[in-house]
Amino acid sequence: MSSSWAMNERRTMLTGAEDFDAFYTATAKRLVATVYATTGDLAEAEDAVQEAYVRAWQRWDRLVREGDPLPWVRTVAIRLAISTWRRTRNRVRAHFRHGPPTDVPGLSADRVALMDALGELSAEQRRAVVLHHLLDLPVAEVARETGVSNGAVRTRLHRARRVLGERLADPLVTAGRARGVGHG
């Protein structure tokens, strides 16, 4: 009796591990991109996503029983990244003052301008934009993940679009920021 239970338990563990591996393979790259777009720091995004998956594995069975684990993992990763970002804001600013490491490929001017413009949004607006526009989540899903009403999400998106539209529509500001030139 106990040997058959042990075999079933082992089979369940293997299936859980295989399911988790498949989940990770299917979602990790996009989740890193999402957290990066939210925070503007690729290294912090990768660290936060890695930690979020570790935490998900620790409660994998419960997450799967409750439904789709991706919103939970995404929320944890974004919260970890923002928390780290807040604690290390001065260190990150110093890093950007000195420029990226020499082994990091340069970003296109459009991408730099977009990341700069996203950086001017509040954390709430930035998260709403990333979830809704980059991940194509409906407003109701964004509201569930962020813990606010649909109306609050729509307001955040409206205000964020206005700021992004102003920042990205001005070719002098966009070109100057992409070259690292300040504006007066």
Side-chain angles (χ1 to χ4, degrees):
M1 218 23 151
S2 65
S3 67
S4 105
W5 178 83
M7 289 185 68
N8 284 337
E9 186 67 22
R10 181 183 163 137
R11 205 170 298 126
T12 300
M13 287 176 60
L14 286 176
T15 302
E18 291 168 357
D19 289 346
F20 182 83
D21 288 347
F23 170 75
Y24 177 86
T25 300
T27 60
K29 188 174 182 178
R30 190 162 186 192
L31 186 54
V32 168
T34 300
V35 177
Y36 171 59
T38 302
T39 64
D41 187 322
L42 182 59
E44 293 296 337
E46 290 170 339
D47 289 347
V49 168
Q50 180 180 6
E51 178 63 22
Y53 280 109
V54 167
R55 292 181 184 188
W57 173 246
Q58 293 169 344
R59 53 186 60 74
W60 183 246
D61 292 336
R62 182 176 58 87
L63 290 174
V64 170
R65 274 194 312 272
E66 292 174 358
D68 183 6
L70 183 58
W72 186 92
V73 175
R74 184 171 40 237
T75 298
V76 169
I78 289 172
R79 286 180 181 166
L80 287 168
I82 290 171
S83 175
T84 300
W85 177 77
R86 286 178 180 152
R87 284 192 313 268
T88 61
R89 185 179 299 163
N90 291 332
R91 180 183 55 82
V92 170
R93 285 181 180 163
H95 170 77
F96 283 116
R97 272 195 302 270
H98 298 291
T102 56
D103 62 339
V104 174
L107 298 174
S108 71
D110 288 343
R111 180 158 300 179
V112 170
L114 176 60
M115 293 308 296
D116 283 346
L118 284 170
E120 292 182 20
L121 301 176
S122 71
E124 294 84 11
Q125 289 172 341
R126 189 169 45 252
R127 186 168 182 204
V129 167
V130 168
L131 293 174
H132 184 67
H133 290 292
L134 295 181
L135 294 182
D136 294 324
L137 295 181
V139 168
E141 179 76 17
V142 174
R144 267 192 304 280
E145 281 198 35
T146 57
V148 298
S149 68
N150 290 355
V153 170
R154 285 191 289 273
T155 299
R156 289 174 182 175
L157 289 170
H158 173 76
R159 291 177 180 163
R161 286 183 200 121
R162 186 175 59 227
V163 170
L164 292 173
E166 291 168 0
R167 299 307 300 157
L168 297 173
D170 185 347
L172 293 176
V173 171
T174 303
R177 293 186 135 226
R179 289 190 311 269
V181 176
H183 60 285

